[in-house]
């Protein structure tokens, strides 16, 4: 049974940094992907970034390129999202997720993901 647990959210001033963690369990091999998504009040869930656990290939949505970095630690079964130069518009609940059937190329499309964590709040405000 796949389980995903996020941590690391909080309140940060504009321009600050946070690192989110997604601890994964229940996978039987490295052939899977983890995506990070966010949802602000009144808005649809948005794909932020994802990583292929086996090969390390990544995807970023345009608005976070150059500011966010996704990485994985295979030994710890954990994926990280380092968020720098945070802006108020980054405020949202952030979720990590994984697809049940992984096709070898991760994407930022929420409907392709089946397993979801509980979410962690990120608030960027002065």
């Amino acid at each position: 049974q796949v389980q995903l647990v996020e941590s690391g959210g909080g309140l940060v001033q504009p321009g600050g940094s946070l690192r989110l963690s997604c601890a994964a369990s229940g996978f039987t091999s490295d052939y899977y992907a983890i995506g990070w998504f966010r949802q602000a009040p009144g808005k649809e869930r948005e794909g932020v970034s994802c990583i292929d656990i086996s090969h390390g290939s990544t995807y970023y949505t345009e608005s976070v390129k150059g500011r966010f970095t996704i990485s994985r630690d295979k030994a710890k079964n954990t994926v990280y999202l380092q968020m720098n130069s945070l802006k108020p518009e980054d405020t949202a609940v952030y979720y990590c997720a994984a697809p049940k059937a992984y096709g070898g190329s991760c994407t930022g499309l929420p409907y392709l993901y089946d397993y979801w964590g509980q979410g962690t709040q990120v608030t960027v405000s002065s």
Side-chain angles (χ1 to χ4, degrees), residues 10 18 25 35-36 47 58 60 65 88 95:
L18 280 175
S25 61
W36 281 101
T58 60
Y60 297 94
K65 285 181 179 178
Y95 302 88

Side-chain angles (χ1 to χ4, degrees), residues 2 18-19 28 31 40 51 53 72 75 78 82 89 117-118 124:
V2 172
L18 280 175
R19 189 179 78 160
T28 57
Y31 191 69
I51 187 166
I53 298 302
R72 89 284 196 210
T78 300
Q82 178 67 44
E89 50 264 44
Q118 81 287 354
V124 185

Side-chain angles (χ1 to χ4, degrees), residues 43-115:
K43 294 189 176 182
E44 293 188 355
R45 192 164 295 189
E46 172 191 26
V48 175
S49 180
C50 67
I51 187 166
D52 179 308
I53 298 302
S54 179
H55 299 101
S57 54
T58 60
Y59 157 85
Y60 297 94
T61 193
E62 195 63 35
S63 63
V64 308
K65 285 181 179 178
R67 301 190 297 124
F68 291 11
T69 303
I70 192 169
S71 61
R72 89 284 196 210
D73 184 329
K74 287 185 180 181
K76 294 183 178 179
N77 294 320
T78 300
V79 170
Y80 304 99
L81 186 67
Q82 178 67 44
M83 306 186 295
N84 298 329
S85 302
L86 282 162
K87 304 175 181 180
E89 50 264 44
D90 294 317
T91 296
V93 177
Y94 282 71
Y95 302 88
C96 64
K100 186 179 298 184
Y102 179 50
S105 179
C106 71
T107 77
L109 299 173
Y111 71 86
L112 293 178
Y113 290 75
D114 305 284
Y115 306 108

Side-chain angles (χ1 to χ4, degrees), residues 22-43:
C22 174
S25 61
F27 292 100
T28 57
S29 75
D30 286 344
Y31 191 69
Y32 66 98
I34 295 289
W36 281 101
F37 298 82
R38 64 187 180 186
Q39 189 164 21
K43 294 189 176 182

